[in-house]
Amino acid sequence: MNRRRGARRSLPAPRAVIDIGSNTVRLVIYEGTARAPETVWNEKVAARLGRDLSDTGRIPQEAWDEAMAALARYALIIADHAIEDVQTVATAATRDAENGPDFLAAVAELGLAPRQLSGEEEARASAKGALGAFPGAHGVVADLGGGSLELVSIRDNRCHHASSLPFGTLRLPRMRAAGEFDAHIHDALGSVGWAAAHPGPLYMIGGTWRALAAYAMRAQDYPLTDPHGFVLSLADADRMATELIDANPEALMQIGGIDAMRAGYLPDAAALLRPLLAELEPEALVFSSWGIREGLLYGRLEPVQQQRDPLLAGVAAFAAPQDASVTDATLVSAWTADLVANARPGDERKRIAAAQLAAALRKVEPNLRLNQAIEWSLDKRWIDLSPRGRAMICAALVGSLGRTDLPDRLRTLASDDDLREGMTWGLGLRLAQRLGAGTRQSLSHSTLKRGKKKLTLRLDESRAALAAGPVARELAILADWLGLEPRIKVGDVG
């Protein structure tokens, strides 16, 4: 469409978060929009700072040295990238360790500015990650780290009750070995009765919970690869937790998405999950890849920024290098709106996302487009996009390539009617692209109307020549898909 070549949407400068946790010390660098930041660098070291807290109450020297070496490296990477927006936060290990303040002082000598989070601050930061990832979320966040389990109730884009419990993955083995583990967990959860009283799902945050999601996705032959947004029923969660309690970590390591460290933690985490489910009785489990780090970024946004659609923000940033603008996508979506037969709330945003991705797809080498269409829609991480939405966008992108054969795995994500609707979007996008090579003028001087028996493309007299060649053919294909008769009229388009 008509654009200034090389024009790019203004994006925030890169941001970095250093997360000094009980298990890992991690650096994440983000780019992209403020509402949907994209990870461009993610590095961690499993220093396990909190591994000896139950025995000695201190960070062991070996873990100290390993973490400091990683942090010195992170400080250089940040300096070399000239990143000015850096948040360095520390959680349970330094909060609980006798030598925690000394450790943070050593971190400060590296030129970083560490901030010790209280248990409640840690819980609320994690909860804001869930709020950012799932707009309108209403439930309880359960963030399982190495040193603690954070529980927070969320609704109306706000955190309400928050508690930090000493049930981190580094503490669980000793607790289980001591006996009466379930009774101890039940007693502790009795102090957070608000969590059981708060309706909604349990939002699962943390690497060990995501490993549980990977196990469940494998067991269910789930057709998507990203655990973010994966939903597990209460019954399935309890059944899988029962299986995992006595699982062999070496066998778990063979499952994609479960590394050696998480494989070792999963049986104990499963033992924690069962009484947690029994006490809280959530509607379901929803797994989130956004947590404390993303919550720190989301929490700094102005309310108007928080209210932006994260899917459309993410798609806009992703498609910008291909000169595919959201303005043009919105125009195309409006031009094809009459094709929509069974719209549900939220489908319009999916159509705009599909239109922008379809425009970006045209810039891809032709023999790569089909694979990219499938990968972009099904495998890339999008925020606030359901499996049904992914499947419909995939159908739309495939349709925009002039194909009507869909990957079989889509049928486990969406109904046949939904996939047919997505394909209709895509064939409509293809017609819009073919009409005038995607120009705004071609769309603004034409209309597409779906009647009971006919599909009518009306062109302004100034654009009559566009009716020749591929346009008539694409209109016929779309009309046949809809069971209608194609018709082209030239005249006033209103």
Side-chain angles (χ1 to χ4, degrees), residues 335 432 435-446 459 463 466:
W335 191 82
L435 181 60
T439 62
R440 292 176 182 174
Q441 291 91 336
S442 64
L443 297 181
S444 60
H445 290 81
S446 63
L459 298 169
R463 293 293 183 272
L466 296 179

